[in-house]
Amino acid sequence: VQLQASGGGLVQAGGSLRLSCAASGRTFSDYATGWFRQAPGKEREFVAAISWNGFSTIYADSVKGRFTISRDNAKNTVYLQMNSLKPEDTAVYYCAASRSQYSNNWYKIEMYNYWGQETQVTVSS
């Protein structure tokens, strides 16, 4: 699976962005998909994930109620709608695909088999 993230940019605090993760190659709908982010000087951290069929989603506590993950398997794309953005959301964002269908695994970086290129999100105060 090849993944390409897009949709990042510069936004003021309180604003919104929608990230997209477009997939090609193997059957994308076989994979759970997650979003991670990495801020300068910090470790990569989990943001959100969604099951192969879109029925199950999980979120990091820091983004619950503000971010929404969704997918359109007909378009081989996963989305991350980010609302009420804060300066601390500033990071490079990555999407990744996992063969695991157990949501307890989706928090773990090592459970992802394919990673896409990053997209930068910058939130100004």
Side-chain angles (χ1 to χ4, degrees), residues 77-118:
T77 303
V78 169
Y79 304 97
L80 185 68
Q81 178 67 43
M82 306 187 295
N83 298 329
S84 302
L85 282 162
K86 304 175 181 179
E88 51 263 44
D89 295 317
T90 295
V92 170
Y93 284 70
Y94 300 86
C95 61
S98 173
R99 295 191 188 98
S100 176
Q101 300 304 327
Y102 296 100
S103 60
N104 286 344
N105 287 335
W106 297 342
Y107 298 97
K108 306 171 186 176
I109 291 174
E110 63 269 24
M111 295 307 299
Y112 287 82
N113 307 98
Y114 303 97
W115 290 83
Q117 290 185 324
E118 69 274 16

Side-chain angles (χ1 to χ4, degrees), residues 7-115:
L10 173 63
V11 64
Q12 288 187 331
S16 298
L17 283 173
R18 188 176 80 157
L19 305 185
S20 298
C21 177
S24 61
R26 293 180 181 268
T27 306
F28 183 56
S29 58
D30 289 345
Y31 295 83
T33 305
W35 286 94
F36 289 77
R37 66 187 182 186
Q38 188 166 16
K42 295 187 176 181
E43 294 186 350
R44 192 172 300 189
E45 65 175 5
F46 170 79
V47 175
I50 189 167
S51 60
W52 68 273
N53 56 9
F55 289 173
S56 179
T57 58
I58 58 173
Y59 296 90
D61 288 344
S62 58
V63 306
K64 278 181 184 176
R66 300 188 299 122
F67 290 12
T68 303
I69 189 171
S70 62
R71 70 188 299 155
D72 184 343
N73 285 340
K75 295 183 178 179
N76 284 346
T77 303
V78 169
Y79 304 97
L80 185 68
Q81 178 67 43
M82 306 187 295
N83 298 329
S84 302
L85 282 162
K86 304 175 181 179
E88 51 263 44
D89 295 317
T90 295
V92 170
Y93 284 70
Y94 300 86
C95 61
S98 173
R99 295 191 188 98
S100 176
Q101 300 304 327
Y102 296 100
S103 60
N104 286 344
N105 287 335
W106 297 342
Y107 298 97
K108 306 171 186 176
I109 291 174
E110 63 269 24
M111 295 307 299
Y112 287 82
N113 307 98
Y114 303 97
W115 290 83

